[in-house]
Structure formats: C-alpha cells, structure tokens
Amino acid sequence: MELHNITSASENLVTRGFSVKAFDVYGPSLEKAKEQGIEACCTPASAAEGAQVLCLMVVNAAQVDEVLFGAEGAAAAGSSVICFSTVPPSYQVKLRGRLDDLHKDIGLVDAPVSGGFVRAAQGQLSIMVSGTESAIKVARPVLSALTNPPAGSLAIVGNDVGAASNFKLINQVLCAIHIAVSGEAMALGANLGVNPRKLYNALKDSSFMFGNRVPWQLQRDGIPKSAMTIIHKDAGIVMDEAKLAAFHAPLSAVAEQVFTAALSAGLGKEDDGNVVMLWERLGGRSVAEQGSAKDAEEEAQQPGGEEAIETISDLLNGVYIVAAAEALAFARRKGMDLADVFKVVGTSAATSKPLVRFKDELSWPDKHSPVADQPSVAATLTSLNTVLREGKRVNTPLFLTQAAQQVFTVAANKGWEHEGASIIGKLWS
C-alpha cells in the first residue's frame, strides 16, 4: 500500500494489521511513518511495487497525475487504486481512461473522504464510494478499516467512477457555504456586542458546521484539524463544475471568494473554521476566548443579547435555505438521484435544519408545495434586510447574507411574496 501525503489514516491501518508502504514528498512525514511501523519509500513507484491496493491521499488532480504517471509514477505497478482525494468528477472519468490505456486491468475506486486528522487516526472517516463491483471488492478491506463506527460511514453511491465525486461535490457546496457563513455570523454577533459563547450555545444546532467549527473560533488551540487551503480548493472545484454545467451558483460563488480573501489575508495555515479571522482583520472584534471554555460558559450565563441573537438566527436561516436550494438544484442538473443525495448529505457534515425540514420541496419544487408554518418569502426578505442594516451599522460586511437576500428578491419579483420561503427551489427548476 502506498500513501502520498501521509496522514493519520496510514497509522490507523498499521494498527489494524495492514502492511503499509508509503511515499511522501515531505521527509519528516516519512520519518514519523517509520516510527509507526510503516515502510518508508523514496518514490511512488517503489512504494507501489508489490502492493495490492494503492491509496492516494493528495490535495488535487495534478498531484494524482504526478503520483501515478510522473517520472517515477506508481501506476506502472498495476495495483488497484483508491483515490481518496476530492477532485472534479470529470477528472475521475479521465483518470479511468488513462489507467485503462495501460492495459494492466487496474481497478479504480472513486472514494472522496472527509473527517479530518483526528477521525482518520480513529479509523472513523466518512467515505463516499463508486466504481465497478470488482474494484470495490478489492478495496473493501481498506475502506472498511477506515470507516468504523460510531462516527465513520461508508456509502456506496454508484457503479462507476465520478459518481462518488459528484456526491462529494454537492456535499462541499453546502460545507463551504456553511463554514463561510459561520464566520460571517459570529463576526456580526461580536460586532453587535453579543457574548460569542452565548451566541454559539443558542445556535449550535442550526447546522453541523456551525456546531463543529465555531468552537475552533472560540478556543484557538493551534492544533491543525481542517485546512483553509483545502476548503478553498474544494470551493474552486464546485465553481469549475458549475461553469462547465452553466449552473447558477450564487452562494457557492461568494463562498469561494470569501476563502480566496482569507488566503489573501494570510490565513492559509489556519483551520477553515477560523475564517472568522478574515472579519477580524477587517477591523471586527475578536470572538476568541481569553480563558478556558469553562470560564466562558459561566460568562455566557449573563443576561442580554437576545435580540441580536435573533438577528443572527435570521441571517443563518436565510443563507441555509438558499444553500440547500442551490445544492439540490445542482444535483438535479447533474442527473443525480435526489433521494440518494439526501441520504448521504442530509446526515453528514453538510446538513442543516432547513435542509432537513424542506428537503422535499427543495428537491422536487414542481411536485411539492412549501410546507406550512414557515416564514414567507416577504417575511424572510424583511428579516434579511434588517440583518443587512445591522451589518452596515456596525461596519460588518455580510457577503453571503447579501447574496441570499438577492435570491429572495428575485423570488419576490416573481410574485411569490406570500409563498413559503422554501419556494425559492423553483428558481432553479
């Protein structure tokens, strides 16, 4: 087995009895690998020699090409390939063709992964998988070893490569927007004078990403968990695929620019959850806690801030609804089975309360009317306009909120003011 850009996953496989050979361009990683019982190799080709399964955990498609087809590439060994990297679905199809042209009967498994360093070490990653039955059969022991309960999951979503990457694409539409808006929401809350811990406690269940990433903003421990550069790369893949499909993706477009701005502001080495630091560098108040989380919890019990928290809740709900509509519409454009899409992303790191509540009318807007007991388009537009006024009052740029407001403005201009907010799904139908 060969792993490029060695991660905790390789160490986990060793503990589960696998014989692992590895290559990495970073020397210290190879030294650490040796300490964990991994055979360190000096080239991809030498690492792949004799391996039954070749695992690739690299940043992008260019690195996959280099590892497999470079001067000392690993493809010549003929090992079955698991591509764990998040790459464009169209690239997976091209990769399948290049491997077929070698006439070595090389199986390819499309297996984009999520979960971060900690869950990789625990063998509890979430992996979406597609490929031929024979290719998946060969790869199954490795995949199972990396996706153990309780947090791990293995979802087989198609019988050809590209399918799993499409699922990851839709997943990342939501994840990128939700991570970016967590920063936007917390920044506005801080500038409105709300205790950040109190704001987090009130809204932590609004989406997985808000609940998961905001603690990184509050308690900045310096331990790498999920790099800003990775979500920036994934947001770029989303927009590249949107352009290829001539698909309108307003929130994804803004999210990509938010992460581009974060990198430009020198935040490339930060965790993606710390995107809130972009607003801090624009002059906003810091949300970082100076003491322990326990001390912060005690301070959060003080009264006050309820009206501002309601404003932030309106911000998040407006963005989440548009994000869900955009993601599910993108899946429709790609011809994906939306029931299967929701089974995967609706229970993953991409989930939010509006996605779960409005999944039917957002997935099939021409077949389902908006559910009862939800804010109307007009009411949502009024709430978002209030949020934007508050942002302007405290000099806080609200990139995603403004984009969501524009989507609801289009819906209102179509005469849907009195319809439920989830009718915006029809804008893409």
Side-chain angles (χ1 to χ4, degrees):
M1 178 171 294
E2 182 269 351
L3 288 105
H4 180 74
N5 193 15
I6 300 168
T7 68
S8 303
S10 57
E11 298 169 13
N12 170 68
L13 289 171
V14 170
T15 64
R16 295 179 185 276
F18 288 84
S19 176
V20 180
K21 298 164 66 179
F23 166 74
D24 196 290
V25 295
Y26 185 56
S29 291
L30 287 178
E31 292 302 316
K32 182 182 177 183
K34 291 179 183 178
E35 297 172 3
Q36 302 299 324
I38 298 168
E39 181 182 344
C41 299
C42 59
T43 67
S46 60
E49 186 176 356
Q52 183 180 16
V53 178
L54 181 68
C55 300
L56 303 180
M57 283 191 175
V58 296
V59 173
N60 53 36
Q63 291 185 3
V64 173
D65 281 345
E66 179 64 24
V67 171
L68 289 175
F69 307 109
E72 297 180 281
S79 309
S80 291
V81 175
I82 306 176
C83 184
F84 288 117
S85 305
T86 299
V87 296
S90 53
Y91 170 78
Q92 290 281 7
V93 176
K94 292 177 183 176
L95 178 59
R96 166 75 279 158
R98 291 189 70 181
L99 292 173
D100 285 346
D101 287 344
L102 296 176
H103 302 293
K104 291 179 176 288
D105 195 26
I106 298 174
L108 174 63
V109 176
D110 179 6
V113 62
S114 61
F117 297 105
V118 174
R119 283 172 56 189
Q122 297 168 338
Q124 296 183 23
L125 293 168
S126 295
I127 304 178
M128 306 172 197
V129 175
S130 67
T132 64
E133 183 178 352
S134 59
I136 293 175
K137 182 178 180 180
V138 173
R140 191 67 182 252
V142 174
L143 296 170
S144 296
L146 295 173
T147 55
N148 294 283
S153 63
L154 179 63
I156 299 176
V157 297
N159 57 12
D160 203 356
V161 297
S165 287
N166 268 326
F167 274 83
K168 184 65 183 289
L169 178 79
I170 303 306
N171 191 81
Q172 295 308 90
V173 169
L174 292 161
C175 287
I177 295 169
H178 292 176
I179 292 170
V181 81
S182 76
E184 184 165 299
M186 291 300 294
L188 178 58
N191 290 344
L192 290 174
V194 183
N195 178 293
R197 177 67 61 166
K198 186 171 187 175
L199 179 59
Y200 166 69
N201 287 343
L203 301 175
K204 62 185 178 183
D205 294 329
S206 63
S207 72
F208 175 92
M209 282 302 180
F210 194 89
N212 182 263
R213 294 309 201 260
V214 172
W216 303 359
Q217 303 173 13
L218 303 179
Q219 293 283 318
R220 299 177 188 175
D221 56 17
I223 300 173
K225 291 173 278 291
S226 185
M228 192 85 70
T229 51
I230 297 298
I231 194 63
H232 176 254
K233 181 264 297 183
D234 290 354
I237 291 174
V238 168
M239 288 311 301
D240 287 344
E241 290 289 303
K243 292 166 188 173
L244 284 173
F247 178 77
H248 181 54
L251 289 194
S252 295
V254 173
E256 182 190 21
Q257 294 306 309
V258 167
F259 292 117
T260 299
L263 266 58
S264 181
L267 301 177
K269 294 184 178 180
E270 295 290 337
D271 283 317
D272 56 23
N274 281 332
V275 68
V276 70
M277 294 173 67
L278 173 62
W279 281 265
E280 294 171 5
R281 295 197 176 186
L282 292 173
R285 297 179 183 179
S286 175
V287 304
E289 296 166 344
Q290 300 305 309
S292 68
K294 181 179 179 181
D295 292 339
E297 286 289 356
E298 292 179 0
E299 292 179 15
Q301 302 309 309
Q302 299 298 318
E306 284 74 18
E307 185 175 346
I309 290 173
E310 187 65 30
T311 297
I312 305 304
S313 179
D314 289 341
L315 181 162
L316 290 173
N317 283 327
V319 171
Y320 289 157
I321 293 173
V322 178
E326 184 175 308
L328 292 170
F330 203 175
R332 280 200 308 275
R333 175 65 65 86
K334 283 184 160 287
M336 300 170 70
D337 185 310
L338 295 185
D340 287 344
V341 169
F342 183 78
K343 286 178 185 177
V344 175
V345 303
T347 57
S348 73
T351 196
S352 69
K353 282 188 174 180
L355 174 65
V356 173
R357 185 181 182 195
F358 304 128
K359 65 180 177 66
D360 288 338
E361 59 262 42
L362 292 176
S363 296
W364 303 281
D366 295 326
K367 296 181 180 180
H368 294 270
S369 299
V371 297
D373 190 28
Q374 64 168 302
S376 66
V377 167
T380 304
L381 192 53
T382 297
S383 296
L384 290 176
N385 284 334
T386 299
V387 173
L388 290 166
R389 283 195 298 271
E390 285 294 277
K392 187 175 292 187
R393 182 175 68 83
V394 294
N395 296 320
T396 306
L398 302 176
F399 309 108
L400 290 133
T401 308
Q402 185 74 80
Q405 187 268 359
Q406 287 293 290
V407 170
F408 280 101
T409 297
V410 173
N413 287 339
K414 285 186 172 290
W416 300 344
E417 303 100 311
H418 304 298
E419 299 286 349
S422 60
I423 199 172
I424 63 167
K426 286 190 175 182
L427 292 174
W428 282 270
S429 65

